[in-house]
Amino acid sequence: MAACIDTPRPDTSHNPNRSQPNDQAHKFMNFCRPSFSDHVSCIPFNRNFTNKAVDVLHREEETEDLWNQMLEEARSDVEREPILSNYYHSSILCHKSLESALATHLSIKLSNSSLPINTLVDIFMEVLEGDSEIMRAVEGDLRAVKQRDPACISYVHCFLNFKGFLAIQAHRVAHKLWSQQRKILALLIENRVSEVFAVDIHPGATIGSGILLDHATGVVIGETAVVGNDVSILHNVTLGGTGKVAGDRHPKIGNGVLIGAGTCILGNIRIGDGAKVGAGSVVLKEVPARTTAVGNPARLLGGKENPIKLDRIPSHTMDHTSHIAEWSDYVI
């Protein structure tokens, strides 16, 4: 059983100089999706709060709530399956934070004889504890998987067993190292993720939060690709280039996009916010926001001049078959 590795933190709960949150901040509703007209924008009730201050407060509350829920789920699982008590203790229950648990779990998964666990734990902990935005994205990914994947029975189930989730989190660390010019180390992590999880994401790629890699096997994302927030991607998806051209050469995926299994999106093209790409499609040209592209080569449902517009966020609905009558008369 792996040793529980954690970093002690000073207790500031009784510090009289510590700033206290204003109760009115709890009235602030910050879940806004302004890129979709069917979602109403939110305005804070107390304008004296900056967005940053409120975001920090909400993030701290949500992190604590999520971590506490994971601890409860882990205890419940151990009660049902006592044989897993050692595994759950070392992976979840002995840790004081999500950062510590994630760093240790990833390190165990990615370590080998020449890349020991303790070395990886040090690397992962340095990044995860030093970057609150990464941890915000980690939490967003956990919630996305739980909400969108009917096969996910709990947050702990996702955390321990879903390789798509784990591959994304390892990429977040590698991307941070890449941005710090620690490229050799970033590429080493990419290689181990590819070997262990069968997911190959270049550390230079930029990926938002609320990401679901469903099944994840065979996902390839190139160096200059950009993936927005709240995106759902199934297995065997390639976000690649079109040849040996250097520079900015990979796709840009907007917010709320759903990409079906076996899809290839190639070149420096944009898939607009809220768009959907059907399974097995090959996309070489821009896909406008809220439209659906299917086929090889991909075409827009409803036609290029007047494409059918989606009225819901496809990455949330995970609906792969809507408007099927508009593009196929194939009957079984």
Side-chain angles (χ1 to χ4, degrees):
M1 181 182 71
C4 184
I5 304 172
D6 201 359
T7 302
R9 299 183 181 181
D11 181 7
T12 60
S13 59
H14 301 292
N15 184 352
N17 295 322
R18 187 185 184 191
S19 60
Q20 300 298 318
N22 189 307
D23 290 339
Q24 294 190 39
H26 295 283
K27 297 180 181 179
F28 179 77
M29 300 172 64
N30 68 339
F31 187 66
C32 309
R33 300 186 188 281
S35 58
F36 294 92
S37 61
D38 52 335
H39 287 271
V40 179
S41 298
C42 308
I43 301 175
F45 289 94
N46 185 345
R47 295 181 182 274
N48 293 327
F49 283 90
T50 64
N51 289 338
K52 182 176 181 180
V54 175
D55 285 346
V56 168
L57 176 59
H58 277 228
R59 192 254 168 191
E60 290 175 350
E61 293 173 344
E62 291 174 358
T63 300
E64 183 177 356
D65 290 343
L66 180 59
W67 177 239
N68 287 335
Q69 184 166 348
M70 290 177 64
L71 292 173
E72 289 301 316
E73 291 174 352
R75 296 185 188 105
S76 177
D77 287 352
V78 169
E79 288 180 3
R80 288 195 295 265
E81 293 289 352
I83 196 172
L84 297 177
S85 60
N86 286 342
Y87 175 53
Y88 270 77
H89 181 75
S90 62
S91 300
I92 303 287
L93 294 174
C94 78
H95 295 277
K96 296 181 179 179
S97 67
L98 179 57
E99 292 91 332
S100 173
L102 180 59
T104 303
H105 191 52
L106 284 175
S107 299
I108 292 171
K109 291 284 188 180
L110 300 177
S111 64
N112 58 23
S113 58
S114 57
L115 193 61
I117 292 174
N118 289 343
T119 298
L120 286 174
V121 167
D122 290 341
I123 295 169
F124 288 130
M125 284 295 288
E126 177 186 355
V127 173
L128 296 178
E129 288 196 320
D131 194 322
S132 61
E133 288 301 312
I134 289 181
M135 290 311 302
R136 184 195 296 269
V138 171
E139 295 149 21
D141 295 346
L142 275 169
R143 297 182 192 279
V145 177
K146 182 66 167 57
Q147 292 166 1
R148 301 177 210 164
D149 188 348
C152 181
I153 61 177
S154 67
Y155 291 119
V156 165
H157 179 217
C158 171
F159 180 88
L160 294 178
N161 303 317
F162 279 38
K163 68 177 185 178
F165 168 78
L166 294 173
I168 285 287
Q169 310 327 315
H171 164 75
R172 297 192 189 285
V173 174
H175 180 70
K176 182 69 174 183
L177 296 170
W178 183 267
S179 67
Q180 295 173 339
Q181 301 303 310
R182 302 175 70 181
K183 295 188 175 183
I184 296 174
L185 184 54
L187 290 168
L188 176 62
I189 293 174
E190 175 204 10
N191 177 254
R192 287 299 296 151
V193 170
S194 179
E195 292 174 342
V196 174
F197 300 131
V199 175
D200 195 348
I201 307 175
H202 192 282
T206 301
I207 297 181
S209 64
I211 305 299
L212 167 62
L213 293 189
D214 195 1
H215 299 289
T217 300
V219 169
V220 177
I221 300 178
E223 177 183 3
T224 61
V226 177
V227 177
N229 300 320
D230 298 316
V231 173
S232 295
I233 300 175
L234 275 79
H235 52 286
N236 289 324
V237 166
T238 298
L239 306 181
T242 57
K244 295 176 65 177
V245 176
D248 193 356
R249 61 197 184 278
H250 295 108
K252 310 299 181 282
I253 310 300
N255 300 327
V257 171
L258 172 61
I259 303 177
T263 293
C264 289
I265 303 175
L266 305 177
N268 186 11
I269 59 174
R270 177 165 179 82
I271 309 300
D273 290 351
K276 177 167 62 175
V277 181
S281 300
V282 177
V283 184
L284 302 174
K285 293 184 178 180
E286 176 178 335
V287 176
R290 292 192 174 201
T291 63
T292 301
V294 296
N296 180 8
R299 60 195 185 278
L300 298 180
L301 295 191
K304 184 177 179 180
E305 300 302 322
N306 189 29
I308 295 171
K309 290 286 188 174
L310 300 171
D311 59 0
R312 302 178 68 188
I313 303 174
S315 65
H316 289 190
T317 64
M318 298 296 289
D319 180 4
H320 295 267
T321 60
S322 60
H323 304 293
I324 191 171
E326 284 84 352
W327 65 272
S328 175
D329 58 2
Y330 180 77
V331 178
I332 294 177

